[in-house]
Amino acid sequence: MTSTPIPAPDAPEPHSGPDPALADEGLAKGPLIPPSKAASGEPMIAIDGVSKWYGAFQVLTDCTTRVSKGEVVVVCGPSGSGKSTLIKCVNALEPFQKGQISVDGTKVKDRSTNLPKLRSRVGMVFQHFELFPHLSITDNLTIAQRKVLGRSGEDAKRRGLDLLARVGLSAHAEKFPGQLSGGQQQRVAIARALAMNPVVMLFDEPTSALDPEMVGEVLDVMVELARDGMTMMVVTHEMGFARKVADRVIFMDRGEIVEDATKDDFFGQPRSPRAQQFLSKILSH
């Protein structure tokens, strides 16, 4: 379901969907990955013994893993397993009570860490797009660049429109989110995150709110990002995407990392009975 935009005074009348005459293009090639400040051999994401509680309820238990530069790691598991909570801890959208997370050499749980600056280096794409409905697509792409990174309006617009072209949506720059399909809105959300020049991209079930026919267009963009060398952690149930793109698969259950394996090992010979049971159900459909 798309949200109804709040038109600006000179905004065009919204309509129910994208103009079928305006064909989308694929992700174009271009400079994407900013230089990392992490030392040679240092992981881009290091999660060490992270535990988290909501009151007396423990949602994460001693989670430890590494994500190397350019690596794509898919995090999967049943609903309520803690996978979305874990990925939100990476850029401190969720606080954690025990352990430590480092992103590109910066400790997340450190009083000296500037969290807004850290988050500007960590792109985040959510399940429900989180676009501003009253702003045009161009304004959605530029507002954080101007306010957080201090870019001029001209520079922010140039960067935003370049990335909009990369996700194949140049023709929709002056529209409002409610005038786009769900898949198109999610691609705008990806472009918005990339406009901040992140060194890491986090995806929290980016296709679960989409109609089935729109899933492919979003996954295609993510596949191209992976091929470009973007470091990615992706929470998803899309096992086809995991098999095609992931370097590793993390399987979680009841707040614990049960398996952390290469995709070939995970799909070919999962070690834990719980992962075997999960795969037998999810791959049978």
Side-chain angles (χ1 to χ4, degrees):
M1 179 182 294
T2 56
S3 58
T4 302
I6 303 172
D10 57 348
E13 286 296 317
H15 55 81
S16 59
D19 186 343
L22 298 174
D24 290 342
E25 303 169 1
L27 188 72
K29 297 298 180 185
L32 176 67
I33 313 300
S36 167
K37 66 180 182 180
S40 178
E42 185 177 347
M44 288 294 286
I45 302 173
I47 302 175
D48 292 298
V50 169
S51 296
K52 175 180 173 60
W53 288 262
Y54 288 126
F57 179 66
Q58 188 166 4
V59 291
L60 296 176
T61 303
D62 197 26
C63 294
T64 298
T65 192
R66 298 283 190 275
V67 180
S68 300
K69 183 176 181 179
E71 191 174 27
V72 178
V73 175
V74 164
V75 185
C76 64
S79 297
S81 60
K83 53 191 186 294
S84 289
T85 301
L86 179 65
I87 205 170
K88 288 176 182 176
C89 286
V90 172
N91 63 348
L93 288 179
E94 287 279 2
F96 51 95
Q97 289 76 40
K98 182 182 176 183
Q100 184 59 274
I101 297 176
S102 295
V103 179
D104 197 20
T106 299
K107 294 181 179 179
V108 173
K109 193 179 179 184
D110 191 309
R111 291 186 177 182
S112 64
T113 295
N114 183 327
L115 288 179
K117 185 175 180 180
L118 173 67
R119 290 183 183 124
S120 74
R121 302 271 290 170
V122 182
M124 185 84 187
V125 177
F126 299 92
Q127 178 179 349
H128 293 291
F129 324 139
E130 305 296 339
L131 299 176
F132 294 110
H134 62 293
L135 297 181
S136 70
I137 299 305
T138 298
D139 288 341
N140 266 283
L141 292 169
T142 59
I143 186 170
Q145 295 186 68
R146 292 186 289 105
K147 293 186 176 296
V148 178
L149 299 183
R151 287 177 180 157
S152 69
E154 182 180 348
D155 287 345
K157 185 174 182 179
R158 184 184 304 113
R159 174 69 174 164
L161 293 181
D162 176 62
L163 285 164
L164 196 64
R166 294 199 64 200
V167 299
L169 295 174
S170 291
H172 306 283
E174 300 308 316
K175 292 183 180 180
F176 289 82
Q179 294 174 272
L180 305 185
S181 70
Q184 289 173 326
Q185 289 186 63
Q186 192 62 293
R187 285 151 65 193
V188 171
I190 293 173
R192 178 181 61 180
L194 292 172
M196 303 297 285
N197 288 80
V199 293
V200 169
M201 286 286 288
L202 307 176
F203 294 85
D204 185 16
E205 303 198 38
T207 61
S208 62
L210 301 178
D211 292 336
E213 62 184 10
M214 299 176 185
V215 169
E217 64 190 61
V218 174
L219 293 180
D220 285 345
V221 172
M222 294 171 65
V223 168
E224 289 300 318
L225 291 179
R227 289 174 178 166
D228 277 354
M230 176 60 78
T231 306
M232 299 163 62
M233 282 189 77
V234 184
V235 173
T236 185
H237 290 295
E238 299 289 343
M239 293 297 99
F241 171 83
R243 279 179 152 166
K244 183 175 184 179
V245 177
D247 297 296
R248 292 198 347 266
V249 177
I250 291 173
F251 175 75
M252 296 187 67
D253 188 36
R254 299 184 181 182
E256 297 183 19
I257 294 178
V258 178
E259 295 212 24
D260 187 344
T262 66
K263 67 177 178 183
D264 290 339
D265 286 345
F266 180 73
F267 287 110
Q269 46 187 0
R271 296 185 301 273
S272 68
R274 185 65 185 92
Q276 293 169 11
Q277 180 187 41
F278 175 80
L279 284 174
S280 68
K281 291 182 177 180
I282 202 166
L283 296 179
S284 64
H285 297 288

